[in-house]
Amino acid sequence: MWLLKKIVILNFMGIIFALKQRDCKPNTIQGEEQKLKNYLFLNYDSSNPPCANKTTVDFLIYPKSITFNEHSNTLDINCISISNWNDDRLMWDEEKFNLIDDSLQIDDTEIWIPDISVHTSGDLSVEQTPSTTYCILFHTGIIWCKSSVVYTVMCYTDYTAWPFDIQYCDVQLGSWAHDSTVLNLTVKGTNWMWGYYTQNPQWDVVYNKTGITDTKNKYDWEKKSYILWIQMGLKRRSDIMKVFYITPAIVLMVLTLTSLWLESTSTERLIFVCINFICHLLCIQDLQWKLPSNGQAAPLILLYYEHSLLLAAFTIILTVILGQLERSNTKAPQFLISITNDILNSKFGKYFYINLLDPKCYMGLRNIDDDQILIGQNKKDNSWKYITILISWLTFLIIFVIYFILLVIYLPRDSVELNVDHFETRLRKLSKVDNIIAD
């Protein structure tokens, strides 16, 4: 046991001796960088712009992904912001400092950075500025900064053509405090702007444009400030929506028309029209949860379902009324008998009577009076039978025409064109002048 304790003590003493004898050489590179920082930031004021006349800042964002919120009409743009400018106060002679290269990595809190933020914010509770990052400072005074940022902007939504709608969003970035006499904002390299973008599974970017314009300064309306604007047109991917809402709209139309083929007194017709009405209600209820309750106008698909629901309700009322009339033992009014008789005696009426009613009754058409064609060969039939059938078919033709009009007017189609004039109008209102500098 004493031998084991002796070995442990000797090992411990050896470790202590080795630590004392270790030669900790200073990092010469870090020492040179610290020496350079002390030289550059000795009298440096990060609250003032670098140039006495005007500082030119080249600024651009590279979108990585987007998220569109339909209920708040906002667009979240996850992007990378890259900016560069020249600060002549941070120049140095590279021969005086022993650095590996002619650049220095510095924290953006140590230097002056342009106060570029979003002017079309959709969430004022969040300060939408680039995250804290490190910048690269070159010996010539040029500074490059790269950071990640999420911009939340307002969009001008229009769900009229839902689910084939196109939404318009524009991002406006610029300085709040510095006007155009202090800060000159430029944009370059827009060809690579969408190089980092990952496709959104719900929205396609079908239009994008970038440029510079000037507008009134936020603090002094007599001065101008430069604004970087990015226009975006987002089109919804509607393949799944067509299956969920467009196809059922066509099916419900067919069901409504089919219900008018059945006999008025049949239980099947009453059940059929009730089920058709319930299906309309279920589709509208599901559509209510899916559609956003905002936008400039009501969606056409919702108006289509509304009118189709009214037609489905009308078929229920018509079925009940015609069924009661056909079951009644009273004779139909003479003017209805005469009108029905005139229709059935016409060329179209004979075709209708032979093919759609009872073909055996055609034998009595040559020697016909007002009651003969309606009562037919069966004395038990009352005068309401063929009147109700004829009303059902006339109603079928009328509703068919109404549905055709509804399909043309209200059923949305995937042929919505991008309204570029919408963006131009927005820019004119923004600048109030004609000096828009597009990329």
Side-chain angles (χ1 to χ4, degrees), residues 289-302:
W289 289 104
K290 188 62 179 179
L291 280 173
S293 57
N294 47 31
Q296 300 178 3
L300 294 177
I301 185 66
L302 185 61

Side-chain angles (χ1 to χ4, degrees), residues 1-10:
M1 191 59 151
W2 64 270
L3 181 59
L4 181 60
K5 290 182 179 180
K6 187 174 181 180
I7 293 174
V8 172
I9 294 173
L10 290 176

Side-chain angles (χ1 to χ4, degrees), residues 260 277 308-320 395 399:
L260 299 173
F277 184 79
S308 184
L309 177 67
L310 294 176
L311 293 176
F314 174 75
T315 56
I316 295 179
I317 299 174
L318 182 66
T319 299
V320 174
T395 306
I399 293 180

Side-chain angles (χ1 to χ4, degrees), residues 2 51 61 85 120 125 133 174 190 192-193 198 204 233 258 288 306 324 331 358 377:
W2 64 270
C51 300
I61 64 174
W85 66 94
T120 52
S125 63
T133 184
T190 56
W192 298 95
M193 177 178 172
T198 302
D204 289 326
T258 305
Q288 173 197 359
E306 177 189 12
Q324 290 297 324
K331 185 179 179 180
D358 189 0
Q377 302 297 325

Side-chain angles (χ1 to χ4, degrees), residues 274-388:
C274 291
I275 293 177
N276 181 41
F277 184 79
I278 294 174
C279 291
H280 275 82
L281 291 178
L282 293 176
C283 289
I284 291 180
Q285 185 179 16
D286 183 64
L287 195 62
Q288 173 197 359
W289 289 104
K290 188 62 179 179
L291 280 173
S293 57
N294 47 31
Q296 300 178 3
L300 294 177
I301 185 66
L302 185 61
L303 298 178
Y304 176 88
Y305 274 101
E306 177 189 12
H307 289 80
S308 184
L309 177 67
L310 294 176
L311 293 176
F314 174 75
T315 56
I316 295 179
I317 299 174
L318 182 66
T319 299
V320 174
I321 294 176
L322 295 182
Q324 290 297 324
L325 290 176
E326 191 170 340
R327 294 188 189 96
S328 65
N329 295 322
T330 60
K331 185 179 179 180
Q334 186 63 35
F335 76 93
L336 285 179
I337 296 175
S338 299
I339 294 175
T340 306
N341 192 44
D342 292 338
I343 294 176
L344 294 179
N345 274 316
S346 64
K347 185 176 180 180
F348 170 78
K350 292 179 180 180
Y351 175 82
F352 169 82
Y353 196 74
I354 296 172
N355 293 278
L356 304 179
L357 298 179
D358 189 0
K360 297 180 180 179
C361 294
Y362 181 64
M363 299 298 298
L365 281 176
R366 296 179 180 179
N367 300 316
I368 192 168
D369 56 31
D370 288 347
D371 293 336
Q372 221 174 1
I373 192 169
L374 297 178
I375 298 177
Q377 302 297 325
N378 191 350
K379 299 300 182 181
K380 295 182 179 180
D381 290 345
N382 60 66
S383 57
W384 283 108
K385 180 177 181 180
Y386 295 123
I387 294 178
T388 56

Side-chain angles (χ1 to χ4, degrees), residues 63-66 193-200 203-205 234:
K64 297 182 64 178
S65 62
I66 60 172
M193 177 178 172
W194 295 89
Y196 299 95
Y197 178 70
T198 302
Q199 290 289 337
N200 185 279
W203 296 91
D204 289 326
V205 181
L234 309 177

